[in-house]
Amino acid sequence: MNGCFFNCFIKEKFKKLLSSGALSLFVVCCIFVAGFALTIFSCFNTVAALEPVKQHSNVIVLLKRDITGDEVAEVGRKIAAVPNISNCEYYPSEKALEKYKYILGGLYDIVKEQENLFPEAYHITVEDLSAYDETISRVKAIPNVDSVSDSPEVNNI
């Protein structure tokens, strides 16, 4: 008897909701909230999807090892003069070595006394990615530039 009472009670309440329109309003609100949540999620997903493109515009220019301080400065001026480069920041080899201090652990003191394994470098930002290849070709053509890397793994140096 109790089970029938409960089932009948639910059926009656459901019929009243349908006839009053409250259920329709509830469904519309649920659809609106779900759509809003999906829109917000899509926006965050788009930002995450564009992150590799942003990283791709950051490039490291590695210089030749036997370069003098004056030549390093000259290379920096020439890189900064290349069209489509919005930022050109000198990154000394000592700074790269310091960054890897935690990885080297106890070997850091030994490595620090030896010849630095990291070359002098410039971190640059390419402004317009549609002209990326042309910009990188111009940078590679500068004397004393050894290589150019746009790999995200290398760019974390």
Side-chain angles (χ1 to χ4, degrees):
M1 180 93 172
N2 252 350
C4 181
F5 174 74
F6 184 72
N7 283 343
C8 294
F9 179 76
I10 295 293
K11 285 180 184 177
E12 283 299 314
K13 290 297 178 186
F14 190 70
K15 284 181 185 177
K16 278 189 176 183
L17 279 174
L18 279 177
S19 64
S20 70
L23 184 62
S24 299
L25 180 63
F26 176 74
V27 169
V28 168
C29 288
C30 286
I31 291 172
F32 176 75
V33 168
F36 181 73
L38 185 62
T39 301
I40 295 298
F41 177 74
S42 296
C43 288
F44 285 124
N45 224 7
T46 302
V47 170
L50 290 177
E51 188 61 31
V53 173
K54 181 181 173 187
Q55 287 178 347
H56 190 69
S57 69
N58 296 323
V59 178
I60 294 180
V61 179
L62 302 173
L63 307 182
K64 293 184 178 172
R65 291 201 177 271
D66 58 346
I67 191 168
T68 66
D70 291 338
E71 290 171 325
V72 169
E74 180 64 23
V75 170
R77 284 190 291 276
K78 288 180 179 180
I79 291 172
V82 172
N84 197 30
I85 292 183
S86 63
N87 184 34
C88 178
E89 180 183 341
Y90 175 61
Y91 198 79
S93 60
E94 293 80 21
K95 189 174 180 181
L97 182 62
E98 284 294 321
K99 186 167 182 176
Y100 280 91
K101 181 178 183 177
Y102 71 95
I103 293 173
L104 296 171
L107 295 174
Y108 174 76
D109 293 327
I110 297 169
V111 171
K112 190 172 182 180
E113 292 175 10
Q114 304 297 320
E115 182 181 347
N116 192 338
L117 302 173
F118 298 99
E120 305 297 320
Y122 279 94
H123 288 203
I124 64 173
T125 304
V126 177
E127 187 70 29
D128 179 13
L129 293 179
S130 66
Y132 180 85
D133 291 335
E134 179 185 342
T135 303
I136 297 304
S137 294
R138 287 184 179 189
V139 170
K140 285 180 178 179
I142 295 173
N144 291 316
V145 169
D146 187 35
S147 62
V148 176
S149 172
D150 60 1
S151 168
E153 294 82 18
V154 175
N155 287 352
N156 288 328
I157 295 178

